[in-house]
Structure formats: structure tokens, C-alpha cells
Amino acid sequence: MSRDTRNTDRGATPPAETDRTEGAGDTDDTHDTGAGAALVPRTAESTRVALRDAPISSLVGTAFGAVAAVARLARPKALHPKGITARATLSVTGVGRTGSPLLDITGRWPATIRVSRAVGLPDAVPDIGGMAVRIHAERPVDILLASTGTGPLSRYVLTAGWRTTGRTMTSMFPVLIAGRPLLLAAIPGADGGTWTLQHATPLGRWRTLGRLTVDSWENDDEGLHFDPVGNRLPGSRYPRLLRALRDPSYPPPDNS
């Protein structure tokens, strides 16, 4: 999918919903040391450290990986096999207090969005929704969200539904940003092509960070992979448990 040019058809209707998402702790030992520090890419050594320090998680992750490998014999992606992608713009309001400069400083960033159904069940069957966001900053930043509620407890409970777009998505598990555990959420607008980006403490009130707006809907790019650990937010530390679970199960990300 070429990103050299951007279509600005903002009210565009998404293509027919050939649905399907991506979504998500203990902390990772590699992290950014300053607010503006560059993201630390995932390496084989850092992966081994994460797995060694979370042995139970690594065993579960290896089991997931084996299941995923078998599933990939039938289809390229074990989870979120089909979805809808879009070129979008992230507008950051500058009122956020997350501790990550990307989300706290006023600015506009190009982004890629993919919304999908997690298991890839037939359209007639409810499925967990997911949303992957890649922010094209100085280095790519990936955020994975899944369909949940937004209440103090329901934000940790996955929900199933029929639609691919127009569903509330959250990160479900907190990530440490500037030493604080925070969750992220994307709240859909009525037009199906905008989301309000918000953040909250584990049981706290949601606060607005900015807005994601679709510029143009695209055909699904099934070869596009996201990695919220290797492409994490500046200033953040990612849960070691999630890395240990996720690494064996997912192919490497496409950072284009």
C-alpha cells in the first residue's frame, strides 16, 4: 500500500465490510529513558531476556505460537485474518498528560488504521472487534485496541459484535508511560470514519487526547503486521507478559 500520496476524501464510506482486529501485565526491561527518546526496536536478545524473565508466559506463548503456526497453514494470519485498512490523520490536541510526547504535544501525524474481526468468524456470527493504529512519526508507533466496554471494570472485558467499524476499542491492558499505568481508547463518531482518542488510569475517568480521522479507505493489506512492543510509544515501558505471550504467536511487523 503506497503512502507517498494521501487522498483527502474525509467523509468516505468504508468498503463493504470484509471484516476482522488486533488487540492486547509486568514490565519490559528495555524502555525509553527520556520523554523524547527514540523507540527501542525489538532484537533477538531482548526477546530472549523477556522470555527468560517470564517463563510461564513464554510457555503459554509458545503454545499459542504452535497453534498459530498450524492455523497459518490454512491462512496467512492466524488472528485478524481479514480487515479494512485506511489512511488517516491523528490530530493531537496537546491537552493530554500521558507523559508520552507523541500524545501530549499538539501536532498532526499521518496514520494507518486497520479494523478487523479477531477470530475471523462468518459475518453472521458475533466476533471480537479490533483496531490497529500505526502512527507514522519519526519512527513508527503501533497501538493495538480491542472491543471492550469503557466502565471501570468493563474496560477489561472483551465484547463480541457483528460490525467491524463503529465499535468502542480500548487497549484493555495498561502500559506504563512515564511510570504511570495508562489505558488508551478509541471512541467512534457517528460517521464511521472518526474516533476520539482518549486515555485513563486503570479505574479512572477517560480524558481526550485527540482525534483520528479517515482520509481514505483502502483494500485490506493482509501482509501488514503490527507490533506494539517493538514499535511502542516514546516514553513507555511495555508489559513483559504481553511480549512473552505475543512474540511466538505473531509474525514480525511491517514497518513501512
Side-chain angles (χ1 to χ4, degrees):
M1 178 170 59
S2 171
R3 299 187 180 90
D4 293 333
T5 59
R6 300 181 62 79
N7 185 324
T8 55
D9 182 15
R10 290 196 181 269
T13 302
E17 291 190 303
T18 48
D19 298 21
R20 327 309 158 192
T21 178
E22 347 239 333
D26 249 347
T27 59
D28 183 11
D29 20 352
T30 58
H31 60 278
D32 299 318
T33 56
L39 297 177
V40 179
R42 181 175 66 187
T43 65
E45 177 60 26
S46 65
T47 298
R48 285 194 295 270
V49 170
L51 296 182
R52 185 182 67 229
D53 290 349
I56 295 176
S57 303
S58 67
L59 290 175
V60 177
T62 301
F64 285 171
V67 173
V70 172
R72 280 197 291 272
L73 295 175
R75 60 191 188 190
K77 285 188 175 182
L79 297 175
H80 319 292
K82 295 182 181 179
I84 306 170
T85 60
R87 299 180 187 182
T89 299
L90 170 63
S91 301
V92 178
T93 60
V95 299
R97 295 294 181 268
T98 66
S100 176
L102 185 64
L103 299 180
D104 293 349
I105 299 173
T106 303
R108 289 168 59 87
W109 300 95
T112 299
I113 296 172
R114 186 177 190 263
V115 289
S116 59
R117 288 161 55 99
V119 182
L121 297 173
D123 293 350
V125 181
D127 203 341
I128 296 166
M131 181 177 186
V133 181
R134 172 162 295 161
I135 304 169
H136 300 287
E138 293 179 3
R139 292 190 180 183
V141 173
D142 290 349
I143 298 171
L144 301 191
L145 309 172
S147 57
T148 70
T150 56
L153 298 180
S154 64
R155 66 187 63 178
Y156 301 105
V157 180
L158 292 168
T159 61
W162 286 268
R163 293 182 299 171
T164 302
T165 58
R167 300 171 70 176
T168 295
M169 307 282 183
T170 76
S171 55
M172 191 169 162
F173 292 107
V175 60
L176 282 177
I177 305 179
R180 285 196 307 158
L182 293 176
L183 294 96
L184 298 175
I187 311 300
D191 62 357
T194 59
W195 291 265
T196 300
L197 190 64
Q198 299 184 337
H199 77 286
T201 56
L203 297 176
R205 191 177 72 179
W206 294 99
R207 301 178 184 276
T208 297
L209 294 169
R211 182 176 296 272
L212 271 169
T213 304
V214 168
D215 297 326
S216 64
W217 292 98
E218 308 284 331
N219 293 326
D220 187 26
D221 184 350
E222 294 188 11
L224 182 62
H225 303 286
F226 296 82
D227 180 4
V229 177
N231 296 337
R232 62 186 177 275
L233 282 164
S236 70
R237 299 174 63 187
Y238 222 86
R240 184 179 297 150
L241 172 61
L242 182 57
R243 169 175 285 187
L245 288 172
R246 189 180 192 279
D247 277 357
S249 306
Y250 285 79
D254 172 2
N255 285 337
S256 58

